[in-house]
Amino acid sequence: MDFLDLQIPPPSVWTKFEDLCRALFAAIWNDQGTQKNGRTGQAQHGVDVFGQPEELAGTFHGVQCKGKDGRYGAFATSAEFDEELAKAEKFSPQLARWYFVTTAPNDAALQKHAREVSQRRIEHGLFRVDVFGWESVQALLAQHPEIIDEFYPELGTRIPEILRRLESLPAKIEEAIRETATKQSRPSQWQSVDFESERDLGPALMGRPLGAADVKACPEIPEAKLAHEEIERAYSARLVGIPGAGKSVCALQTARRMHDKGWRVVRCFGTSGNELCLTTDDIPTLHVVDDAHLLSDETIQLAEQATTSTKWLLSTHTAADDTDHSAGAIPIDTKRAVAHIASELRRNRDETLRVVMRVDDRVGDDIGDESIDNRLSAAEKADFPWQFCFILGGGWRRAKLAAQKAHSSGNDLVLAATAIRQIASRDAQCQKSHLECLLSSAGVDTDALDAQVAGLVRERSLISIDDLRCPHQRFTTVILGRILEGQSEDGRQAIGKMLRAVLRDSEMPLLGLFLLLRELSSVGRGRRWTRLVKTNWLDPLFERCRSARTGPEVSGGAHLLNEFETYTNDWLQDVICDFKSVIANWIADPPERTGYAIGHLLNVINQKDEETGREILNIAGAERVARAMNAADPVHAGDIANMLSLAWAGQDEKWVSSYLRAIDRDACKVLVSNWPDDAYISSAAEYCRHFVSMEEEFGLDLIEDLLPAIKDRMRANPQRTFHELDEIVWHSLKLFDPLEIYKGKDGPTKRMRVVGRKLCAIWNPKDLASKLSKSSKRDFQSATRLLHFLRNTSKSRFEATVAALDWDLIDETIGDDWRTGKGEWVRLLGQTYSMDAGRKAAANLIERNLGTIVSMPTTLAIIAPEQAFRHVESGGEIALCYFEHFDWRLGPAVLAKFADHRSDLVDSLLKPHEEKCGHVLTRQSPSFYNDALLFLRIHWQVANGSFERMLGSIDPDKARLSWSNALRGKKAERDVGAYLVERTLDRSDALGRVARELRAQFPASSIAQASHLKQFEE
């Protein structure tokens, strides 16, 4: 007879089944102290039997015995499982493992449910759970015949046969239990990422941790595409950025791309170890490692080296600044990300408004509401995506509320401790023990810490019980500032003591401590909270800076020495004088990726005292620095060049002479001639500019040698590479000079123009035009600058390129931006003005979109004056003023065009801007209007009535202060001030009295030049 027909039946009554479970698990655990929990009728918290496994002394395991109507009873359900598990959570002390044991047959659906629940719990640090149906219980009984003998004596004569059959079951459950118990709660290194569920933008606006469900709602930033392309080519990539740059979401956006192609995506759970093993099955898999900066470089490198065509790796790394030139590193451009996010949310204005209104009821389209357009404009000024969401969602309201709630519940010092540690540790995991230590150092009672932490988790000020960090690292700064504002002096002193403990903690990275000190100086007006840090608390940091050797240590040390200026009375004397040799050694032998930090430090020293800066450079020794440069690989050489440029190394002719004599020029030429394809061109540009500033001809030779090595990349992506060539085209060749700083004898030389033409020759005009026509909005700026460079360098190539532009593609990209007239596309069209064909093409484009434009930029009005006339005639505006800035540069040309050709429209042109103009002319700083003279002269001449209305809108008290500053200022400011006084003297109102007072106070400088008062000829 088959064994399944002879299986052991479950006990006929539930109490007998409970006794069986107690005896069976006592044998499995080898714990004779295993007991039934309470008695019938008492609350048992989901545990009928509990004990302590011998191999895991000190931990408790629990069993829930679920009887189900004898042998042929109903199956246990997932709902029952969840209900009993919820009760087991309350068992005290906390369990290490829990078993749901039932008399019902094994149920695949219930077993799957239990496995999934258990996996999620393990990932969150909670105890493991299992479910055993009756077949599993039988398999366990097979290992313990004494239990069968005790509970089934009637089967005694058949025990040998039964045991043979039981032992033939494939599942060796007891062995699995013991093996797993030994490895109890060890989480899987990788967890699957599911993109099926979706959320809207709400969690991002609320500052919540974002996951796979948020990827679709968050506009994909450009680096996601770059990371995808990098991984496809090299199997691995790194996303690098400062805290709050959006690395985690960008990584998930990249992962979503792979998921949509059918790849499995897994994410690393816990990155505190030093072993990272990729999955070994045959499924194509993208492995995502967040916070990889917490792992050693060697660990990440080994994992990257283990990637294959079907096992890819994407990691995110937090850096103190956004300079990381590692192979495969993709730095996140936060400003570009913000601009892109803002643009995409504007495209979906209605949906954006719906979500923002949900999180901030002050925003809406009704009268009295704050406009969503204004809120988006304000958010667009943010430096980081997190800050963008914070502003768009009115995060300051919730930060203040979070601090107030924490204060009212007595949890504010706990939250402050969390924020301090999170900043200082660079967002490392935080456990309860860390907070206990920090709070105790400040004399804060920790008896109620469990309840305090639970309260902060409920309020979403902390992520979870197992992850005691604020939802966002940058948010910690806001919270810390709010907490300090609402504290008593005793509370502030306690926070000060916590700061002291962290500053003395040698486990905290120097970069993290630098960030803490920097943020502390920025959260209060006048750096008010820096007083909490006593100067002598910095002594341990001085010693750590002195012994810094590795890249992160030196970078952190240099940043810290710089930041100490805020915390010391005589920075140069008290700090820098004792570190001259240390800084000099850093300069002479800079570790990789430290150039910016060291150079910035020496830059500040030079601004304070050039003699001290020169002394440090001389201690470093020009020859030693040259040897470091000669030995450096391409990226490191660019980093050293950046360091020396920041350090004003080119200011000392003697030092430069010694340095250049020691430079291996042939090696320099070989280095740039073989510039790697995976190294940033910007590093090469910095390298070349460094030598141009010291020995122009040699530096120009290097640029010529570089061009063949980068020509393919220049052709493939002209916008991006031109942006990277900024240091060459602007400061080395001086042929792209938007600020017009290279004039006269400082302008470009004949040799520079020759090299510039060689650079331009790399691009075929038609191919270049095709690439520029396909520019995204974020690339319009680079495209505009490239055309500007072409126009200054090779007029024929410029004209051929403009003639081949695809204006339909450009128009399509501009899209809805025609309505507001804002964006780099305006300047792109402006570049065409110098040639007839380009100007006509741009004018046709403007004509096509004239009905969409609300406020026409002055650039467009100059390109297409006829369209500008019709626009004003139909009630539209020309944007003479924007964001409290008046266009004094192009405004005169627009006004003159209207006066010459459509004088009947001049009043309509000016009227919307009269009060704005008056406001700008009374800004406290005359720099807002130092170029206003020409416009004011034309305004007075062609529209005197409008001019007088503009003066009538001016606040006399503001005019007194502003014009006084102008009359004391530079010549251009004095000229404007004098002109305004002259045109206002005869007024009989308060402004006229102000003008007469200023004439008496400034009898010479308030008199306008006669030529300025003369009218222009018609």
Side-chain angles (χ1 to χ4, degrees), residues 317-487:
H317 303 253
T318 297
D321 50 50
D322 53 5
T323 56
D324 186 333
H325 302 304
S326 304
I330 300 171
I332 292 183
D333 185 334
T334 56
K335 288 294 290 183
R336 181 173 66 176
V338 166
H340 180 71
I341 293 168
S343 174
E344 292 301 309
L345 293 184
R346 283 194 179 96
R347 289 178 184 276
N348 299 285
R349 183 183 184 279
D350 292 343
E351 174 62 15
T352 301
L353 176 60
R354 183 189 68 79
V355 180
V356 173
M357 287 177 63
R358 193 177 77 232
V359 300
D360 187 350
D361 56 9
R362 295 181 184 179
V363 177
D365 280 335
D366 294 333
I367 296 176
D369 290 338
E370 182 179 351
S371 164
I372 184 63
D373 302 304
N374 292 343
R375 182 64 72 84
L376 274 167
S377 296
E380 195 171 13
K381 299 176 183 178
D383 291 322
F384 313 103
W386 76 267
Q387 188 183 12
F388 177 92
C389 293
F390 186 85
I391 296 171
L392 184 59
W396 51 86
R397 297 174 65 190
R398 293 182 295 281
K400 185 175 182 179
L401 180 62
Q404 290 172 344
K405 285 184 176 180
H407 181 71
S408 63
S409 58
N411 299 336
D412 47 350
L413 291 180
V414 176
L415 189 54
T418 302
I420 289 169
R421 189 184 187 282
Q422 190 167 345
I423 297 170
S425 67
R426 299 182 65 204
D427 208 24
Q429 290 283 329
C430 179
Q431 303 300 326
K432 175 185 170 184
S433 58
H434 297 135
L435 293 184
E436 285 177 328
C437 182
L438 195 52
L439 291 164
S440 297
S441 70
V444 177
D445 188 0
T446 60
D447 288 346
L449 184 57
D450 285 338
Q452 291 173 313
V453 164
L456 291 170
V457 170
R458 283 195 300 272
E459 292 294 339
R460 297 296 179 89
S461 294
L462 299 181
I463 296 174
S464 71
I465 296 293
D466 302 301
D467 189 356
L468 301 182
R469 294 180 296 169
C470 294
H472 202 287
Q473 190 174 5
R474 294 298 303 182
F475 189 65
T476 57
T477 303
V478 183
I479 284 293
L480 183 58
R482 292 294 189 184
I483 291 172
L484 282 166
E485 289 172 6
Q487 277 298 311

Side-chain angles (χ1 to χ4, degrees), residues 407 413 483-497 528-529 531-532 534:
H407 181 71
L413 291 180
I483 291 172
L484 282 166
E485 289 172 6
Q487 277 298 311
S488 64
E489 188 57 32
D490 287 344
R492 290 171 185 153
Q493 291 303 316
I495 292 173
K497 291 176 181 177
R528 59 187 298 201
W529 304 125
R531 67 180 177 82
L532 296 176
K534 310 303 179 187

Side-chain angles (χ1 to χ4, degrees), residues 752-787:
M752 291 174 183
R753 293 187 184 280
V754 169
V755 177
R757 285 193 289 272
K758 288 183 178 180
L759 192 156
C760 290
I762 289 175
W763 290 304
N764 173 277
K766 288 187 177 180
D767 182 62
L768 178 60
S770 175
K771 296 283 197 316
L772 296 183
S773 300
K774 297 173 184 175
S775 295
S776 63
K777 289 182 180 180
R778 62 179 173 270
D779 287 333
F780 275 146
Q781 183 182 67
S782 291
T784 302
R785 293 184 169 199
L786 196 159
L787 288 174

Side-chain angles (χ1 to χ4, degrees), residues 544-676:
R544 290 184 64 186
C545 291
R546 200 180 303 278
S547 60
R549 295 292 182 272
T550 67
E553 290 173 346
V554 170
S555 183
H559 281 306
L560 270 172
L561 290 180
N562 207 345
E563 189 63 26
F564 288 157
E565 181 188 3
T566 306
Y567 294 86
T568 54
N569 294 322
D570 189 345
W571 179 63
L572 283 174
Q573 184 61 41
D574 296 343
V575 179
I576 300 304
C577 283
D578 289 338
F579 277 86
K580 290 177 183 177
S581 295
V582 173
I583 300 170
N585 286 331
W586 290 346
I587 294 171
D589 188 18
E592 292 184 2
R593 305 178 202 172
T594 61
Y596 174 79
I598 300 170
H600 182 57
L601 171 61
L602 203 57
N603 186 279
V604 175
I605 293 172
N606 277 312
Q607 292 180 45
K608 299 286 184 183
D609 182 17
E610 288 188 48
E611 185 176 341
T612 301
R614 284 196 298 271
E615 182 183 353
I616 292 173
L617 273 176
N618 286 328
I619 295 172
E623 294 82 1
R624 290 174 65 196
V625 177
R627 285 197 296 272
M629 179 68 88
N630 291 337
D633 62 30
V635 174
H636 190 32
D639 195 40
I640 295 173
N642 184 34
M643 174 188 73
L644 294 175
S645 296
L646 288 170
W648 298 9
Q651 301 291 322
D652 188 329
E653 292 184 6
K654 184 178 179 181
W655 195 95
V656 169
S657 178
S658 299
Y659 172 74
L660 290 174
R661 281 198 304 272
I663 284 290
D664 185 339
R665 296 177 182 240
D666 291 337
C668 292
K669 287 175 171 288
V670 170
L671 184 141
V672 296
S673 299
N674 296 278
W675 197 261

Side-chain angles (χ1 to χ4, degrees), residues 669 672-673 688 692 697-710 728 733 751-752 754-756 758-759 762:
K669 287 175 171 288
V672 296
S673 299
C688 293
V692 168
E697 289 301 312
F698 176 56
L700 294 175
D701 288 342
L702 292 178
I703 294 174
E704 287 195 74
D705 291 335
L706 172 68
L707 295 181
I710 63 173
I728 286 180
L733 301 180
R751 172 81 193 284
M752 291 174 183
V754 169
V755 177
K758 288 183 178 180
L759 192 156
I762 289 175

